[in-house]
Amino acid sequence: MPVMKIDGYPVEFTDEPNILSVIRKAGINLPTLCYHSELSIYGACRLCTVEDDKGRMFASCSERPRDGLSIKTSTPRLVRYRRMLIELMLASHHRDCTTCVKSGDCELQNLAHRLGVSEVRWGYKQRTHKRDFSSPSIVRDPDKCILCGDCVRVCEGIQGINAIDFAMRGTDAMVIPAFNKEIAKTDCVNCGQCRVVCPTGAISINTNIRPVWEALADPDVKVFAQVAPAVRVAAGQAFGGAKGENVMGKIVAALHKLGFDEVYDTTFGADMTILEESKEFLELFKKGGPFPLFTSCCPAWVSFCEKRWPEFVPHISTSYSPIQMLGSIAREYYADPKNNEGKKILSVGIMPCTAKKAEILREDLKRDGKQNIDYVLTTEEMITMIKRAGIQFDKLEGEAADMPFGMGSGGGVIFGNSGGVMEAALRTLCEGPDRPAIEELRQSGVRGPSPLREFTFNYKGNEIKAAVVSGLAEADALLRRIKNGESFYHFVEVMACRRGCIMGGGQPAHAGIRTKEARKHGLYESDVNTQIKKSNENPTALAIYDTLIKGREHELLHSHR
Amino acid sequence: MLAPSFYTKTDEILSHYPAQERSLIPIIHEVQETYNYVPVELLPYIAKHIGITETKAYSVASFYERFSFEPKGKFIIRVCDGTACHVRHSLPVLERLRSELGLSDKKHTTDDMLFTVETVSCLGACSLAPALMVNEHVHPAMTPEKATELIKELREEAKNA
């Protein structure tokens, strides 16, 4: 096995793509601002620069490891060099750190502390650009941009959108939409992946905390929340909990403490989605097409399809996404004076997703001109509220979600993982004894690390060809193959964010590979610990059909795109 | 909104190049040659034709100093401020041109759309320093006096044209 010397110690390496990975494997956390293992290598921030035994300095992200190479990672010269780089970035960065939304969670700020930058010799950069509030999902603040290009590469490379890019050059260079237009007027699908990778406050979540908080304080308003599956495996870490731990109980308790009258579980909505979507699929399957049927849960995917592949829009399931299912049914429930107690109702979704903020505004999802959900708060915003209120999350005792929409199946809870919607839908088609059938499906290829997974499922002797894809660039390529007749599927699940909602645009950022894996396992484990595995066996969901929505399934549970 | 003639002309330009990403810069060059500037409205149109995003087209077009989104004057004067020209006093030439024409480092084009004054980093004519170009013609060994004279000549030329 080839060996490198890092700071005098031998380190073996195998297929690491660059020296930086070998250094990190050796337990040294070199600082970086522009390096993300899933994005293309850009080499812009230069913070990972190292020195070889000849005194040559180079960026370790952009060089391959070589046998016998000897490098040093923090000589006095490198330390000076890195400090200077951060100082230069700070000089061209609008430093309103104390009041910045990103303060405390900012990679630039953290590195400035870590590397000991104690002064900036080149003055203070005033605000020179307007902030862009046009999107319901994200806010752009170009004065805080350090031109690392992370957002550009995730938007173009992973999502295939390219809503923003570098423009101009030199000191005028900026990351902006074409012609500096508002982000809402671009092909942006609100996935929020740009804000997940942004190391500073240049792209942040467009927050709805204030109106929700005001409603919580209003005695004439009954506020209820629903919590999406992916939220429960991402929030705990912010309060010192373990990576990927399911903290749904504490979330429910914290939201109750914040003043939410009822806290429901979007897993219930997910079960409703599966009930409707699998019905839709079976009808289509019996009819013999046209295939494929695409899932409808992911609003960024729906928006992408509308903008780039309008011809495939009729193939998207009309079933509401889980948040809309619960929102729509709860609206019926609260229309009854017995349940609304004569109060105004405010419906809040706690989501891992920035695109849901845009989804709730869609015309085709309104009924009688009114939205099914009033506000969406992301996981990040929920964490902010809990912290702001001073609630000691880690000391809370868990509580169960409220009825009648507090119960969900294992199939519903895995919705947050890429492949989860497909797996939940196919579970309802499993025949024979549950345990082996569910296990067989689990091993069919629906789960796995690849962003595109193709597999077949046997249904009453017929083969269902299915695909699961996450990341819109990957989805774009898949659609092209379907269009050209190179690929054929009956059923396709698309999620805009790689790995699914657990890595959504509203989730806590800075998730490394271990956190990503932990969130995924957290959801799969929640499924294992749920008594009811199949959405079509959730008794509360089934009961709805005979009561609240009787005879109105089409009106209350389907989009009229 | 541009007149339809812009799009017919652009179609003609597009037909000179393969509809591929790599044609972007040659196409923008030809558009600029045709109109003296790059009308931004054409960028989404060009991008769509060659199969790239408008964001990418804007990114490339805004990067290069050579491409201008603003209409330019009839005479584009490019004063070289490369090393050789700079040390042989190109700046007084530039300052004279600007003061003669009422221009500055912010305002590059005269209101009558006759003159545009810009700097370039090197014309590759270092032996003739300090040099400038008027449209496609190089003027060597410039002085502020010669610059005043040049403006006068160009004004005459425009009047007689």
Side-chain angles (χ1 to χ4, degrees), chain B residues 135-156:
Chain B
N135 296 343
E136 296 304 311
H137 295 284
V138 178
H139 294 252
M142 291 301 292
T143 61
E145 292 69 36
K146 283 168 85 175
T148 306
E149 200 54 37
L150 177 66
I151 297 292
K152 212 180 281 172
E153 281 166 27
L154 293 174
R155 281 217 167 97
E156 280 302 308

Side-chain angles (χ1 to χ4, degrees), chain A residues 46-157:
Chain A
R46 316 308 290 177
L47 288 169
C48 68
T49 295
V50 294
E51 204 175 323
D52 68 9
D53 45 8
K54 296 189 187 73
R56 195 179 69 104
M57 281 162 67
F58 56 88
S60 62
C61 69
S62 321
E63 297 237 2
R64 283 191 199 287
R66 292 190 300 277
D67 192 25
L69 187 70
S70 174
I71 54 149
K72 291 206 162 63
T73 61
S74 54
T75 61
R77 190 169 158 221
L78 286 168
V79 169
R80 263 199 320 275
Y81 180 84
R82 288 192 194 120
R83 198 182 292 146
M84 172 71 108
L85 285 170
I86 295 287
E87 194 180 343
L88 284 165
M89 281 180 225
L90 288 174
S92 60
H93 175 81
H94 180 57
R95 293 199 310 282
D96 63 348
C97 297
T98 45
T99 52
C100 176
V101 286
K102 193 78 172 177
S103 190
D105 192 33
C106 171
E107 286 170 56
L108 184 62
Q109 190 184 42
N110 291 344
L111 284 182
H113 282 300
R114 192 180 131 188
L115 302 178
V117 181
S118 52
E119 63 166 339
V120 177
R121 285 165 283 176
W122 302 287
Y124 179 78
K125 185 183 185 257
Q126 296 294 339
R127 184 171 285 293
T128 45
H129 300 285
K130 263 205 256 163
R131 280 178 288 179
D132 179 357
F133 288 99
S134 65
S135 158
S137 305
I138 54 164
V139 178
R140 291 176 48 249
D141 187 350
D143 285 315
K144 305 237 173 96
C145 178
I146 55 167
L147 303 174
C148 67
D150 294 352
C151 55
V152 174
R153 282 174 293 140
V154 77
C155 187
E156 184 182 2

